[in-house]
Amino acid sequence: YNLNANKNEQSVYVKWIRKINNNWETYLDLQSRNVNYKINGFRANPNLTVDNKFHFINPKAGITYQKANKKIYFSYSSAQKEPNRDDFETSSTDAPKPETLHDFELGMEKKSAKVSWAINTFYMYYRNQLVLTGEVNDVFAYTRRNIDKSYRAGIEMEGNVNFSSKINLMANLTLSTNKAINFN
């Protein structure tokens, strides 16, 4: 079809690492994104146009303690993302909003030649998360809607045992709870 859509993006990323001493290290990541969405109609609604400009600042900061073969770390990050073109097609009256994520992680790991393991806990708090609701659009594609507040919280574990140079046993397990807060 001849209904054009243009998405232009510019981004800049910087990373700063500071070694405090032999055991402690901090870091800061910073991303700046500019996104311009121009959509001139959809197949079901050729008269609907979208002209949105988004500016996102996505930071991440963390601290790590490392001694010998053990590491403990904590990080916080925030990320924002624009809706997809399909999200704009879902409704002509209820425009989708950008998603915002706040992610907190705490973990530790130990590595040796024979055995290694890691454990990570996380809490991810979303504002306006775009999620599948079971609804379909005019061509029967699944659609997404913003949920005002939601979260994911859990624990990730992984282990590795090297029995020999040819035999290796690896396993991982993730347990989480994923909830939409006050959404029907």
Side-chain angles (χ1 to χ4, degrees):
Y1 57 93
N2 294 322
L3 301 172
N4 293 326
N6 292 307
K7 178 181 174 184
N8 294 308
E9 177 179 344
Q10 300 85 37
S11 64
V12 175
Y13 173 80
V14 294
K15 182 174 187 105
W16 175 76
I17 299 172
R18 170 100 197 273
K19 192 164 183 82
I20 298 170
N21 59 35
N22 288 338
N23 303 109
W24 290 95
E25 183 177 279
T26 61
Y27 67 89
L28 176 65
D29 297 357
L30 191 59
Q31 179 194 46
S32 174
R33 291 180 66 225
N34 287 309
V35 178
N36 185 4
Y37 246 126
K38 282 191 175 204
I39 302 170
N40 297 313
F42 303 111
R43 53 184 176 265
N45 189 350
N47 297 322
L48 180 66
T49 59
V50 173
D51 187 1
N52 285 338
K53 291 177 174 69
F54 301 101
H55 178 75
F56 302 125
I57 301 291
N58 298 322
K60 181 176 183 179
I63 187 164
T64 302
Y65 175 80
Q66 189 166 352
K67 188 169 185 177
N69 58 357
K70 297 175 191 160
K71 181 180 0 180
I72 299 172
Y73 58 88
F74 173 77
S75 69
Y76 165 76
S77 61
S78 177
Q80 296 174 294
K81 186 180 179 309
E82 71 282 356
N84 298 330
R85 178 182 173 152
D86 294 344
D87 299 323
F88 288 107
E89 289 185 31
T90 300
S91 172
S92 59
T93 58
D94 189 21
K97 300 175 194 140
E99 299 174 294
T100 301
L101 164 67
H102 298 279
D103 180 28
F104 300 88
E105 299 200 19
L106 174 65
M108 69 173 99
E109 59 186 54
K110 182 178 179 181
K111 294 182 179 181
S112 69
K114 292 279 185 192
V115 177
S116 64
W117 58 266
I119 187 167
N120 184 62
T121 58
F122 60 91
Y123 178 75
M124 303 166 74
Y125 175 73
Y126 291 87
R127 290 299 312 253
N128 298 315
Q129 183 181 17
L130 284 159
V131 299
L132 293 170
T133 62
E135 298 171 287
V136 294
N137 64 14
D138 62 322
V139 294
F140 300 100
Y142 289 107
T143 62
R144 301 188 311 166
R145 300 261 184 221
N146 287 108
I147 293 179
D148 185 39
K149 296 176 186 175
S150 60
Y151 71 90
R152 297 176 183 180
I155 187 168
E156 303 165 321
M157 298 170 280
E158 62 183 67
N160 185 25
V161 179
N162 292 319
F163 293 104
S164 70
S165 63
K166 296 182 181 183
I167 300 175
N168 186 24
L169 176 64
M170 297 170 47
N172 61 52
L173 174 68
T174 300
L175 303 171
S176 68
T177 181
N178 309 299
K179 301 283 182 179
I181 302 169
N182 298 326
F183 179 77
N184 293 320

